[in-house]
Amino acid sequence: MGDAEYLAAFRTVVMPIAHEFSPDVVLVSAGFDAAEGHPAPLGGYKVTAKCFGHMTRQLMSLAGGRVVLALEGGHDLTSICDASEACVSALLGNELDPLPEETLRQRPNQNAVRSLETVIQVQSKYWNSVKRFASKVGYSLLEAQKHDRDEVDTVTALASLSVGRTSLVAAGSSSESQEEPMEEDGPMSL
């Protein structure tokens, strides 16, 4: 497990539930056993310091940015230092090093997808926010962001049509179906 899997878990489970819960403060037991550099059996995961920084930045969207990180784990001094530095940089509002393009395009592995699907199935009984992510667990971060943008664009377009229709009806137009403006125009001359 590495960045792609942790980003998927944050995107589909952690942040939706955290936003729905709407905490007053976020307390993080910041153990870095999952950080790159911790060999199995003490770790064996490959989460980069950059990813820890980006997850911390996401947490800052909660509780008005009131986030406390308490260092409590990790065994490889270099890994602990790198991950801690990235998280403190995020807390200070510093610009973070971008995640590599490869990480943004990487889909989570199938073990992670199966685990997240199970978590979503169980947690959806208690948290409505995770239901909308069930079908998107296997997406890369870039795919998920594109899908979210497309959803927003669709909703915005539908809302503008609805507002336009409401304006016509309010202005005294009949409630009968109106033709699209393009259909009313004559043929275009070249």
Side-chain angles (χ1 to χ4, degrees):
M1 304 278 180
D3 291 356
E5 291 73 28
Y6 271 65
L7 292 169
F10 243 64
R11 177 176 49 78
T12 62
V13 177
V14 175
M15 292 307 294
I17 290 174
H19 277 290
E20 186 174 346
F21 181 73
S22 188
D24 294 325
V25 66
V26 177
L27 302 173
V28 179
S29 176
F32 294 113
D33 290 358
E36 202 171 42
H38 285 89
L42 299 176
Y45 287 60
K46 294 177 172 49
V47 181
T48 64
K50 288 179 183 181
C51 187
F52 279 112
H54 283 272
M55 290 187 291
T56 301
R57 175 66 44 85
Q58 289 179 55
L59 290 174
M60 292 176 65
S61 69
L62 303 164
R66 291 181 296 276
V67 177
V68 176
L69 301 180
L71 180 62
E72 60 81 22
H75 306 279
D76 180 80
L77 190 55
T78 302
S79 297
I80 295 169
C81 289
D82 292 346
S84 296
E85 180 183 5
C87 292
V88 169
S89 287
L91 289 173
L92 292 173
N94 296 339
E95 188 170 334
L96 300 177
D97 291 335
L99 292 168
E101 184 76 18
E102 177 184 331
T103 299
L104 300 175
R105 293 189 182 286
Q106 184 180 354
R107 291 181 173 181
N109 70 45
Q110 283 306 303
N111 286 337
V113 170
R114 281 192 297 277
S115 294
L116 289 169
E117 288 171 341
T118 301
V119 168
I120 288 171
Q121 180 182 3
V122 170
Q123 294 303 320
S124 65
K125 297 173 190 168
Y126 311 102
W127 303 100
N128 290 324
S129 57
V130 296
K131 291 177 186 173
R132 71 179 280 248
F133 295 100
S135 64
K136 303 171 195 156
V137 170
Y139 287 14
S140 71
L141 184 59
L142 287 180
E143 290 170 328
Q145 289 172 339
K146 181 185 180 322
H147 188 272
D148 289 347
R149 279 191 310 274
D150 291 348
E151 262 185 9
V152 167
D153 291 347
T154 300
V155 169
T156 302
L158 289 172
S160 69
L161 290 174
S162 176
V163 168
R165 177 77 182 131
T166 304
S167 299
L168 288 174
V169 172
S173 296
S174 71
S175 60
E176 294 176 24
S177 177
Q178 300 270 335
E179 288 188 41
E180 290 291 319
M182 291 293 285
E183 293 174 5
E184 294 174 8
D185 295 339
M188 288 180 46
S189 59
L190 298 174

